[in-house]
Amino acid sequence: MRVYLFVIFTLQCYTSIRAHPKLTIDEFFNATSFQSVSLSPNGRHLLVYTRKPAWDSNSYDNNLWLYETDGSKKELITTQYFAFMEPKWSPSGDWFFYYGNDKVTTNSTDERVRYRHSSNKSLKNQHKIHLYSVTSGELLSIDIGKATPSALTWSDSDSSLYFAAQSTESTEDADRLYEAEWKDVIQYRRRKPNYGSVIQRIDIKRKHGKLSVKIHCIKHLDFIVTELLFVASEHKVVCISYSPIIETLSEIELYAIDFLNTSSLIRLTNSKLFEYNLKLSTDGKHVFFLVYPVRLNNENFLSMQGRLYSIDLTNGQIEQWGKGFQGSVRDYTIRSEGGVFILGQLGTNVHVYTQLSVLENVCLLSGWHGSYRSISSSKSKQYSSVAVTYSSFEQPEEVYFTKHIDELPWAKPLTHENQLLSTRDLPRTKLYRWSNPEDNRTIEGILHYPPGKFEHKNLPLFVLMHGGPTGASLNQLQPSFDTWAPLAATEGWLVLEPNFRGSTGYGDKFIDEVLCEMLSRTGKDILTGVNSLVNDGIVDPTRLNIGGYSFGGFLTNWLITQTTLFSAAVSGAGASELVSMWGTTDFPTYGASFMCGFPWEVTEIYKKESAMNNLNKAQTPILITTGAKETRVPADQSYMLERGLTYLGVPVKLLLFPDEGHAFSSNPWHGKIKVREELKWLAQYDHLRSVGAEDVL
Ligand SMILES: *[C@@H]1O[C@H](CO)[C@@H](O)[C@H](O)[C@H]1NC(C)=O
Ligand SMILES: *[C@@H]1O[C@H](CO)[C@@H](O)[C@H](O)[C@H]1NC(C)=O
Ligand SMILES: *[C@@H]1O[C@H](CO)[C@@H](O)[C@H](O)[C@H]1NC(C)=O
Ligand SMILES: *[C@@H]1O[C@H](CO)[C@@H](O)[C@H](O)[C@H]1NC(C)=O
Ligand SMILES: *[C@@H]1O[C@H](CO)[C@@H](O)[C@H](O)[C@H]1NC(C)=O
């Protein structure tokens, strides 16, 4: 009897394993990603913005969906939604606005256009914003003129909104004069006379079924506005300034316009931080904002991880929320009873936390292990309904809803976009820790085992490194051109995703420790991890491979000049020479802070940390990929690396992806082809290496 049971049991195991088909690259890249969720004030409706590949048209569908949170209904509002402007609910909750439909064809292929004078008045279509009523199903489309809007907010009533648009007042006379003198010559850094934004108010009146719309100009600002927030109790509209090239972080600050006296412009912050995501507190007097993990030298403010702040509009006082929290704040939402809910990354998980007031502690709420990526709450006075997006290693991302935050562990999925992935034979994962002997720091990484080979020994290794350095590899399943560990594991590699020094989620000091050694120290963290896997017998020492995107590409380029240990390398958007990188990137402040100064101040550091200066030591065959329209890590960095390695006779191939910038968001085929070729490259070179005497770490 026992034997019989055992046989049945093993058979069932066998069939259940067989029941999960292998994950394919086509399925992996066909996933839907959730860009934002926004719950209506009464919690009955949810706006979900999704992005899904449209393979036939070489583009993405940007879909805005309206869900009833009881799960009874969903409605597609538009497939042409514009990502940069979040839809927002009106004060009563009857309406929401969105911007979309008429696709804007901006040819700003290079974000540095800001400093160019263009005399070409490409007269675009009228821009429209759309107001949708969830009670009546009515849709109002409002012409807002020829200028592209950049930010939009409701006032305190459903019949009035504020928006910011680029200034367009430049006259054709001025253009003709410029052209007569300069022809098509570009004067770099010369701003157009009309550079900046105009803040305008839309008033909507309806009488006897007739709609009348009036647009008033409120104020001209000499900067670009990315967000607007109306604060009724203080008679203010708060906005964030922005610059396409971030040469100094003081270009990104919070300002307030007093709408009782629009001649004044009040600067609210002088923080030299990268502020974004404005929200108004429950008491209506504090404006919350997030800051990106940015580090600056010799400044009062340091933000090495994502942080949440609020500013008191009655006295200008700025306070930091989540102070005792060691990790990085990724998103937040206002708690209707006061305080906030915070999505905080600690180690490889992103959990939901709550903080009732700035003086109180941050508390972890019960929820699932994995990564909550965005959160939105209702405004009910009794309790907070919340919608979240969530995924983990085993669970592809979906949107979940719960009527009460205390019931988060029982939240119900509202969407079922990616369930196909959970029916596939996904790799099993575990955390792996090692210590860097230089300072005995413990470093953590994620191991993705090939399906059916969990905890097997002597496996071929692929180290996949995240961007940043202030990023992290997480407990999530986010199919993407840069996070494809499950796909590589499916193809047979044991994938290590190391959260090396400089990663968020391990305390501020963990990031501080890469200062002035941005590549050399992180590189050692990774090499000691590889060494540890070899010593533990987990990986085959003759089959070690490496790759990554953005900072992961920097590290790949660096590591192949430090060791001949690796059989194959795949490097995306990686810098190879840091002086030219500093001189051409659109975000020079970020890199310079990790390098501890400008190229003329710390020449030796730039020299020592650049792969290019050690290139003659490289032997590892490398596949290089880059967007052709990169401005973050300009494609020149990849050309330089490719040329150097070609001269040196190292197998190298460069793939350029037209129209793509750093985010690879233009054509879904590009990301898929990139990873397809990277997998091929690894398969081609993985076996070819022979162990040599110089392979000592
Ligand atoms: C992608 O998903 C859609 C459904 O959302 C399906 O119709 C299509 O066949 C899939 N394409 C591929 C290449 O898997
Ligand atoms: C943008 O550039 C493409 C090719 O460079 C061109 O075909 C298109 O007409 C341009 N669009 C506008 C609005 O200038
Ligand atoms: C101005 O734009 C139009 C269409 O967008 C284009 O055909 C024309 O070549 C442009 N002129 C210049 C000088 O760039
Ligand atoms: C409006 O603001 C301006 C600039 O800050 C100030 O000079 C002026 O006195 C203010 N007017 C009133 C009526 O407060
Ligand atoms: C690291 O730990 C080892 C063993 O505990 C010890 O011998 C060594 O001195 C430590 N090194 C540092 C830099 O603390």
Side-chain angles (χ1 to χ4, degrees), residues 345-364:
Q345 180 227 336
L346 202 55
T348 54
N349 288 294
V350 184
H351 285 131
V352 185
Y353 296 80
T354 182
Q355 190 176 9
L356 305 187
S357 81
V358 75
L359 296 173
E360 285 179 66
N361 289 329
V362 180
C363 298
L364 173 66

Side-chain angles (χ1 to χ4, degrees), residues 37 69 152 189 345 395 495 535 603 650 680 697:
V37 289
T69 50
L152 188 56
R189 248 177 235 286
Q345 180 227 336
Q395 280 297 320
V495 181
N535 289 340
T603 317
V650 178
K680 269 198 218 159
L697 291 174

